[in-house]
Amino acid sequence: MKAAIYPGSFDPVTFGHLDIIKRASKMFDVLTVSVLNNTQKSPLFSVEERVKILKEATKDIPNVKIDSFSGLLIDYAKSKNIHIAVRGLRAITDFENELQIAQTNRKLSHDELDTLFLNTSLEYAYLSSSSVKEIASFNGDIYPCVPDFVAKMVYEKYGFQK
Ligand code: PNS
C-alpha cells in the first residue's frame, strides 16, 4: 500500500494546502495529513480545532486521514511505517528552507523518510496561513483564501462577525 504523510501547522488550512491534499491523495492509497503540535509557536487554533477543521475540509476525499503529532517528523513517520512526506512549494524561498528540512529528515532517518515536493498551483502561490491571519486581524477579506466555514472561524477569533 502506498502511503504518505503531509505534515504542517495548518493554522489555518488554506486553499493552497487543500490543493496539495487533493493532488497528493491521487498519488497514494492513503494520505495522512498531520498537524504539528508545536509548543514553541502560539497558534490561532488549537491542535484539536485544526484537526476538526481539516476533517471537515477534506470530508469528500475518502483516502485522506487527519491526525496530529508532536516531536520529530521522522519519529512520527516511523511509528506509522510511512516513508514519504509531502510538502508544497510556492516559490524559491520555500525551496531553500524545505530542501534543508528534507535533507535533514533523510539523513536523520537513515534514508527511511524521503520528501516529495509538489509545486503549489499558481493561483494559490501567494497564499500563506500567516497572511490569512494578518489580513483577518485587520478585518480584510480572506474568503478567497480559505473555505467559507474556516473564514468565519478565523474572523471569530479576531472578534469579527462576517
Ligand atoms: O506548515 P509548516 O509550519 O511550514 O510545517 C512545518 C513542519 C511541521 C513540516 C516542520 O516544522 C516539521 O516537520 N516539524 C517537526 C519537527 C521536526 O521533525 N524537525 C526536524 C526537521 S529540521
Side-chain angles (χ1 to χ4, degrees), residues 12-42:
V13 70
T14 67
F15 285 137
H17 297 128
L18 290 170
D19 169 56
I20 298 290
I21 292 172
K22 274 180 207 142
R23 286 159 55 209
S25 71
K26 292 181 190 152
M27 298 173 185
F28 297 94
D29 297 312
V30 179
L31 177 72
T32 301
V33 180
S34 202
V35 176
L36 174 67
N37 186 0
N38 187 346
T39 46
Q40 282 163 5
K41 278 190 188 174
S42 41

Side-chain angles (χ1 to χ4, degrees), residues 7-10 36 41 69 71-74 87 98 101 104-105:
S9 302
F10 305 109
L36 174 67
K41 278 190 188 174
F69 74 107
L72 291 179
L73 177 62
I74 55 159
R87 293 285 289 166
E98 292 291 337
I101 294 173
T104 307
N105 283 336

Side-chain angles (χ1 to χ4, degrees), residues 35-54:
V35 176
L36 174 67
N37 186 0
N38 187 346
T39 46
Q40 282 163 5
K41 278 190 188 174
S42 41
L44 186 63
F45 291 100
S46 69
V47 172
E48 294 73 25
E49 287 172 318
R50 283 178 272 161
V51 164
K52 214 171 151 194
I53 290 171
L54 275 163

